[in-house]
């Protein structure tokens, strides 16, 4: 479903897709370490979701960066305030910075392994205007799913049964 959906986005909407495929060895080390020490097995992936688009926007001089929902506001968090600006999302608790040295010393990763987890420097970040589309359009996962389905989105119905879960269309990017 995931491979189909990525290909379909480009075909359906006529857009380029710039993506990152994390080093699986590093991902496994960080997932285990972060789960055992912080209860956050998806920290590495979540961190990349926040930092990689910022890095690419800076690299390609694309100041407007649009994220979907404001995680803290939609689902609760320490900074659960309604705002259009996604500037503070790195500190929302989902993928807040963890001391790099701790990860290097204890998780068995290198400084280079953590390269994409670093946000751009503040002078570069200040040139970007990351926003949440959910500030302008009400965020509703089911309505988003219905829209996506009309445009060729595949859910998990025919791949694997998500036991103990109410739906098969949200958060399908990772079995974690």
């Amino acid at each position: 479903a995931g491979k189909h959906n990525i290909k379909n986005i480009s075909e359906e909407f006529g857009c380029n897709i710039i993506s990152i495929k994390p080093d699986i060895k590093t991902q496994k080390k960080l997932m285990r370490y972060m789960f055992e020490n912080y209860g956050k097995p998806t920290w590495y992936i979540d961190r990349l979701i926040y930092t990689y688009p910022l890095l690419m926007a800076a690299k390609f001089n694309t100041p407007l960066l649009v994220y979907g929902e404001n995680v803290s506001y939609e689902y609760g968090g320490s900074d659960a305030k309604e705002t259009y600006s996604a500037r503070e999302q790195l500190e929302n608790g989902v993928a807040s910075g963890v001391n790099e040295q701790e990860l290097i010393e204890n998780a068995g990763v290198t400084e280079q392994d953590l390269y994409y987890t670093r946000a751009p420097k503040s002078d570069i970040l200040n040139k970007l205007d990351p926003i949440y589309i959910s500030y302008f359009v009400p965020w509703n996962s089911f309505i988003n799913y219905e829209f996506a389905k009309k445009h060729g989105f595949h859910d998990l119905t025919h791949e694997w049964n998500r036991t103990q879960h109410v739906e098969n269309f949200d958060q399908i990017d990772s079995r974690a």
Side-chain angles (χ1 to χ4, degrees):
K3 288 177 183 176
H4 164 83
N5 289 337
I6 289 292
K7 183 178 179 211
N8 184 66
I9 288 170
S10 180
E11 290 176 354
E12 180 70 13
F13 298 104
C15 60
N16 297 318
I17 295 177
I18 299 170
S19 63
I20 184 172
K21 181 74 175 149
D23 167 15
I24 299 300
K25 191 174 180 180
T26 298
Q27 182 177 336
K28 285 180 178 181
K29 288 177 184 179
L30 288 171
M31 287 182 86
R32 181 178 188 125
Y33 181 80
M34 292 301 292
F35 175 67
E36 290 176 349
N37 293 277
Y38 293 91
K40 296 180 174 189
T42 61
W43 176 87
Y44 181 57
I45 299 302
D46 292 329
R47 185 75 181 177
L48 293 176
I49 287 170
Y50 296 148
T51 57
Y52 188 71
L54 293 169
L55 292 166
M56 291 300 101
K59 178 180 178 79
F60 293 111
N61 194 27
T62 307
L64 180 63
L65 179 59
V66 181
Y67 288 92
E69 80 272 35
N70 176 341
V71 173
S72 290
Y73 183 72
E74 297 295 329
Y75 309 110
S78 60
D79 61 340
K81 62 182 178 234
E82 187 175 27
T83 178
Y84 77 91
S85 177
R87 241 180 234 292
E88 304 299 322
Q89 76 174 337
L90 287 171
E91 302 307 320
N92 71 8
V94 174
S96 296
V98 174
N99 184 296
E100 255 189 38
Q101 201 55 43
E102 174 188 347
L103 297 176
I104 292 167
E105 291 173 7
N106 301 311
V109 296
T110 68
E111 187 175 336
Q112 183 60 33
D113 292 333
L114 300 172
Y115 177 80
Y116 289 113
T117 65
R118 295 182 203 113
K121 303 279 186 216
S122 60
D123 60 323
I124 295 170
L125 191 57
N126 289 336
K127 294 176 183 174
L128 303 176
D129 191 18
I131 65 167
Y132 296 115
I133 195 71
S134 62
Y135 181 82
F136 304 98
V137 177
W139 194 259
N140 181 304
S141 293
F142 187 73
I143 290 172
N144 295 346
Y145 166 65
E146 289 294 322
F147 174 84
K149 203 168 155 183
K150 286 179 189 172
H151 292 278
F153 176 84
H154 286 188
D155 60 24
L156 297 175
T157 305
H158 304 291
E159 288 190 32
W160 57 285
N161 184 23
R162 253 187 181 171
T163 57
Q164 311 301 319
H165 206 281
V166 71
E167 44 76 356
N168 279 324
F169 64 86
D170 201 11
Q171 299 289 323
I172 69 168
D173 51 347
S174 169
R175 286 187 179 208

